[in-house]
Amino acid sequence: MGKHKLKVLLGATALAAVAGYASAAEFDGITLQAKLIGGQQYEGLYGRIAEWEAATGAKVDIISKKNHFELDKEFKSDLAAGTLGWCVGSNHSSFAAQYPNLYTDLTPYLTKEEIAAYVPANIAASRIGDALVMLPRAQFDVSVLYYLKSVYEDADNQAAYKAKTGRDLAPPDTWEEYKEQAIFFADPPNFYGTQYAGKDEAIVGRYYEMVVAEGGQLFNDDWSPAFNSDAGKRALQWFVDLYEAGAVPPGTTSYLWDDLGQGFASGTIALNLDWPGWAGFFNDPDSSKAAGNVGVKVQPAGSSGKRTGWSGHHGFSVTETCENKEAAASLVKWLTNEDSQKLESAGGSLPTRTAVWEYVLETAQSDPYRAEAIAAFQAGAGHAFPAPQTPEWIEATNLIYPELQAAILGDKTVDEALADAAEAVDEMMQENGVY
Amino acid sequence: MSRFRPPAWFVLLLPAIIILAAVVLVPLILSFYSSFTPYKLTRPETLYKWIGTFNYEKAMKSAHFWAAFGRTVLLLTIALNLEMLMGLGLALLVNKVTYGQRALRTIMMFPMMFSPVLVGFQFKFIFNDNVGLVNNALQSLGLTDRAIPWLVDGQLAFIAILTAEMWSATSVFAILILAGLFAVPRDPIEAAKVDGCTPWQSFRHITLPYVMPFIYIALAIRSLDVARAYDIVQIMTNGGPARRTELLWTLIGRTGYVDAKMGYANAMGYISIFLAIIFTVYFFRKLNAARSELGMAG
């Protein structure tokens, strides 16, 4: 009996060794070229590539490392020039729809169980039509409300707000209340109630989620513009009112994410709708004057009762022209597997696998601030929706944002700005043959 | 049967012709051709669809295009003239210095060493309304108690961009004009002094005519190279907000690379080039006419 057991054990060990050897040689001699997003918060994960190389025998040659806007330009140049010899590329749900033919469908390389391990909403946003064009990494983004606790704890503020509105001062749950409080807190040029991204895709994304929260849509089903509506006007009016009241810094129309993050960290902004990547930064005394004073809450709701939730996530894709799709898909799986996602989400970013969400919540319990932030983001993720999935999205944002700015700065009325933007988008969609 | 033998001059020039054709002619013809197509970078097949002058008509009818065109001409005119005047002043001052002139010349070249992208970031921070140096200085000195939106107000943003551009490029003029000043012979100036000329008279009638060719060269070089300011504008305002600082460079750059509409971007580029050539010929003729009236032709 004992001998028999030993034999089985030996046999199993030998099998495992052979299997291990086989998998080590699986992609021997293959070199995959990759174009990946660069930046401090993204680099940690790339350390794991060496482990995948050791396990499979393949080599990864990172031939380009840039931010997404620069990568986007490079991908477009590659498509135009036909220089598509590389295999693995960083992708983003807001950009993916622009290159429908660049990336291959990953469905044949994954089992149903493997796909089911990702958060279903993230997988849905990783598809173009039926094709699964990327696997989501632990860089999921949805914005929630960060606020300075001190302005709510201040007795004078509480009394004055009660006298003014008849309500108790507490972090807002609706965008109407948010606006009211932002105007109430503002004391320019030293302190502002809030701020918002003021240009490029960023402001259009913010406007888009506000339109949805007001019960409207940015586009109709045929992709004709739908934002020149009552909901669209109410949404834009919100931005205009804050600007006119001096509740936001006057330069907010030129701000992008970094300016907003630095602004809130300077302790001169009371309320800030922002991304998960900033959670650690805001509460770190080395980087933020607001450290120890930051509260985090699920994002407010619009007049329709819906909450804002424009979201996006990073992912990895395999090109249609890749000669070793199997190896490339294996790398992409590796970079988004449970261990990879645990590693990345330890840095504060949000995972896209159900099991890793549970792990993150569990490990955050010892730190009250992190637990508060993770709970807010988990609640926020429940209301998330992706950017409009059309190749024309970025081009549409470039037509819409100058008009939004014109209304905010008073060059045009809300009605004029939205009418002009809708006309420009309609013309572009027709010219591009969308309808 | 005699074989065709190309003339020797042609054979000798052939390498140069091939290189020129490859790096200048081919891209030029390709981009000109693509301006008659709906060429989109993300859809390479659109390069083969001929749409005639559609892109040109669209640009000609676009108010945004003409506004950007006008703003670019204005920026170029003001920037080049101010840079030239300040560069001349700087060169004259440095020329007077007898001790430490080399160190000064080196320091003068510092702004040229910065890449335009860095200059853009630097001035974007300096003119930031909330945490920028200029506003903080003005507020600390008690000159204002509000945050001046330097990069938001159309005219202020124009001044901010102009300042960044002049900071980075004035020294180019100064260096070239200084080289001219070194070449001015001392004898006529000393003779003028002996004859009782005022410093202004000797500058106006002796130094300036000697330096003029250098100023022309500097102007020519800078007017060709001024589009490098694209990086500065792109970083500082990217043409915004609400198209208040939109220049041809930002408009064409965004259309071509962000919207991926290369055909339309090329059409806008070619309209600007043709107009620039027409303007240059017109002004050159005017200048020549003026010079011959003054008896300076030749």
Side-chain angles (χ1 to χ4, degrees):
Chain A
M1 190 73 189
K3 250 186 177 178
H4 185 67
K5 255 188 182 171
L6 190 71
K7 266 186 186 169
V8 171
L9 207 65
L10 276 174
T13 315
L15 254 179
V18 169
Y21 179 75
S23 91
E26 196 179 354
F27 304 123
D28 240 347
I30 290 177
T31 299
L32 297 176
Q33 290 190 323
K35 295 195 172 191
L36 305 179
I37 184 169
Q40 199 200 340
Q41 67 271 49
Y42 307 117
E43 306 270 338
L45 177 64
Y46 305 148
R48 294 206 75 215
I49 292 177
E51 287 176 51
W52 179 82
E53 287 177 333
T56 61
K59 282 264 163 264
V60 179
D61 180 14
I62 301 175
I63 54 173
S64 183
K65 219 190 252 182
K66 294 174 176 163
N67 72 39
H68 251 302
F69 292 95
E70 294 304 314
L71 272 186
D72 175 57
K73 286 181 195 164
E74 191 170 315
F75 292 162
K76 284 169 182 167
S77 303
D78 282 348
L79 278 167
T83 46
L84 296 165
W86 48 280
C87 271
V88 175
S90 277
N91 206 344
H92 192 284
S93 53
S94 296
F95 289 86
Q98 289 188 88
Y99 358 89
N101 306 321
L102 176 57
Y103 294 121
T104 195
D105 181 11
L106 291 167
T107 318
Y109 305 99
L110 287 118
T111 63
K112 274 193 178 153
E113 292 72 32
E114 280 175 323
I115 295 178
Y118 295 91
V119 175
N122 295 142
I123 283 291
S126 302
R127 291 183 191 278
I128 298 180
D130 290 331
L132 181 63
V133 292
M134 65 169 141
L135 286 184
R137 71 189 276 188
Q139 293 286 348
F140 170 63
D141 281 328
V142 65
S143 297
V144 299
L145 171 61
Y146 292 93
Y147 60 92
L148 294 183
K149 288 195 275 195
S150 54
V151 296
Y152 287 93
E153 288 159 0
D154 184 281
D156 292 344
N157 273 352
Q158 288 173 354
Y161 190 75
K162 179 96 178 173
K164 195 179 171 201
T165 65
R167 278 174 281 138
D168 287 330
L169 182 61
D173 201 49
T174 66
W175 285 110
E176 197 50 41
E177 221 181 328
Y178 182 104
K179 182 171 88 182
E180 194 179 65
Q181 291 186 5
I183 295 171
F184 172 77
F185 290 135
D187 178 22
N190 303 314
F191 194 80
Y192 293 96
T194 186
Q195 54 182 355
Y196 46 76
K199 63 177 184 180
D200 300 349
E201 186 214 8
I203 186 177
V204 186
R206 285 285 179 244
Y207 172 68
Y208 159 59
E209 62 181 343
M210 202 60 96
V211 173
V212 173
E214 287 298 320
Q217 268 305 335
L218 215 54
F219 298 105
N220 295 310
D221 288 345
D222 64 351
W223 295 110
S224 58
F227 51 83
N228 191 12
S229 60
D230 286 346
K233 286 174 189 170
R234 280 199 302 276
L236 180 52
Q237 194 64 49
W238 183 88
F239 292 86
V240 175
D241 288 348
L242 283 170
Y243 196 86
E244 276 180 359
V248 292
T252 202
T253 47
S254 61
Y255 287 5
L256 280 179
W257 310 122
D258 278 0
D259 309 284
L260 299 173
Q262 297 292 350
F264 185 71
S266 74
T268 59
I269 307 285
L271 295 159
N272 185 40
L273 183 73
D274 222 323
W275 305 101
W278 293 103
F281 183 85
F282 289 155
N283 211 40
D284 179 353
D286 291 337
S287 56
S288 166
K289 287 185 187 161
N293 185 23
V294 183
V296 194
K297 193 186 164 180
V298 67
Q299 66 273 29
S303 65
S304 74
K306 266 190 212 162
R307 292 184 191 274
T308 50
W310 169 43
S311 70
H313 66 263
H314 294 248
F316 295 104
S317 299
V318 175
T319 55
E320 193 62 70
T321 47
C322 177
E323 285 176 3
N324 300 296
K325 289 200 185 73
E326 201 127 330
S330 157
L331 173 65
V332 167
K333 270 197 270 183
W334 173 268
L335 289 172
T336 60
N337 70 15
E338 246 182 81
D339 287 338
S340 293
Q341 292 223 352
K342 279 179 184 168
L343 176 86
E344 273 210 288
S345 52
S349 63
L350 301 182
T352 50
R353 278 174 170 273
T354 316
V356 183
W357 262 111
E358 284 157 19
Y359 168 81
V360 169
L361 276 168
E362 218 175 271
T363 49
Q365 290 314 313
S366 56
D367 176 353
Y369 170 74
R370 191 161 149 69
E372 182 186 345
I374 294 289
F377 279 109
Q378 199 187 22
H383 306 284
F385 46 86
Q389 300 288 296
T390 163
E392 271 63 40
W393 166 241
I394 297 292
E395 198 175 340
T397 64
N398 281 330
L399 293 169
I400 298 171
Y401 88 79
E403 302 300 339
L404 300 182
Q405 290 177 327
I408 290 167
L409 297 172
D411 290 357
K412 290 182 181 175
T413 65
V414 165
D415 288 7
E416 285 167 356
L418 288 184
D420 289 351
E423 192 188 326
V425 171
D426 184 47
E427 195 184 312
M428 180 272 287
M429 291 287 182
Q430 290 191 38
E431 202 182 288
N432 289 1
V434 178
Y435 50 82
Chain B
M1 207 177 103
S2 68
R3 274 185 24 218
F4 170 72
R5 285 177 67 90
W9 61 265
F10 182 74
V11 176
L12 288 171
L13 281 178
L14 202 56
I17 291 172
I18 290 172
I19 291 170
L20 271 180
V23 299
V24 180
L25 216 55
V26 172
L28 218 56
I29 291 170
L30 190 68
S31 63
F32 189 59
Y33 161 77
S34 77
S35 68
F36 296 98
T37 70
Y39 182 38
K40 210 167 172 189
L41 288 179
T42 47
R43 292 182 199 148
E45 72 278 3
T46 49
L47 185 58
Y48 307 105
K49 192 176 163 197
W50 182 264
I51 53 165
T53 54
F54 178 84
N55 286 330
Y56 286 90
E57 285 164 32
K58 191 176 160 188
M60 297 292 241
K61 280 190 261 173
S62 163
H64 300 318
F65 172 74
W66 289 114
F69 186 86
R71 232 175 263 123
T72 312
V73 171
L74 189 70
L75 180 82
L76 288 188
T77 312
I78 298 178
L80 287 181
N81 282 299
L82 283 182
E83 280 168 20
M84 192 265 284
L85 287 176
M86 286 178 57
L88 180 63
L90 203 60
L92 287 171
L93 286 176
V94 172
N95 195 35
K96 288 271 176 231
V97 174
T98 48
Y99 182 75
Q101 202 195 56
R102 276 186 184 190
L104 269 180
R105 287 204 307 259
T106 312
I107 292 170
M108 227 158 64
M109 278 192 246
F110 277 175
M112 294 159 67
M113 297 173 193
F114 282 77
S115 89
V117 176
L118 287 179
V119 177
F121 275 116
Q122 182 182 316
F123 278 88
K124 187 183 176 189
F125 170 67
I126 289 174
F127 286 108
N128 181 296
D129 57 294
N130 196 13
V131 291
L133 274 181
V134 176
N135 271 359
N136 271 327
L138 291 177
Q139 285 165 13
S140 303
L141 292 171
L143 294 174
T144 180
D145 59 352
R146 61 189 203 96
I148 301 169
W150 287 102
L151 297 175
V152 174
D153 181 278
Q155 283 172 358
L156 292 179
F158 192 81
I159 292 171
I161 290 171
L162 203 60
T163 310
E165 164 58 21
M166 283 168 58
W167 181 85
S168 76
T170 295
S171 54
V172 179
F173 276 93
I175 297 285
L176 287 171
I177 294 171
L178 193 60
L181 285 174
F182 287 161
V184 177
R186 308 300 307 165
D187 301 354
I189 294 176
E190 275 157 22
K193 252 187 206 165
V194 173
D195 289 347
C197 282
T198 62
W200 167 250
Q201 284 172 328
S202 51
F203 170 74
R204 169 71 188 82
H205 297 289
I206 300 167
T207 314
L208 197 59
Y210 270 112
V211 173
M212 261 339 250
F214 290 86
I215 292 180
Y216 281 133
I217 290 168
L219 273 172
I221 292 176
R222 280 293 301 148
S223 60
L224 293 175
D225 147 277
V226 75
R228 281 193 335 148
Y230 165 73
D231 297 323
I232 296 179
V233 185
Q234 213 269 344
I235 302 283
M236 285 178 72
T237 65
N238 197 11
R243 300 196 176 94
R244 285 172 175 185
T245 58
E246 187 87 292
L247 301 176
L248 277 179
W249 315 318
T250 49
L251 178 67
I252 294 175
R254 192 177 321 112
T255 310
Y257 286 102
V258 183
D259 294 348
K261 286 192 160 171
M262 222 18 130
Y264 183 43
N266 281 334
M268 290 197 281
Y270 274 101
I271 294 176
S272 327
I273 290 172
F274 288 137
L275 285 178
I277 293 172
I278 292 168
F279 273 125
T280 314
V281 170
Y282 174 76
F283 283 122
F284 196 71
R285 283 193 175 162
K286 280 271 169 198
L287 186 72
N288 267 351
R291 281 160 64 96
S292 43
E293 259 178 40
L294 290 170
M296 290 166 73

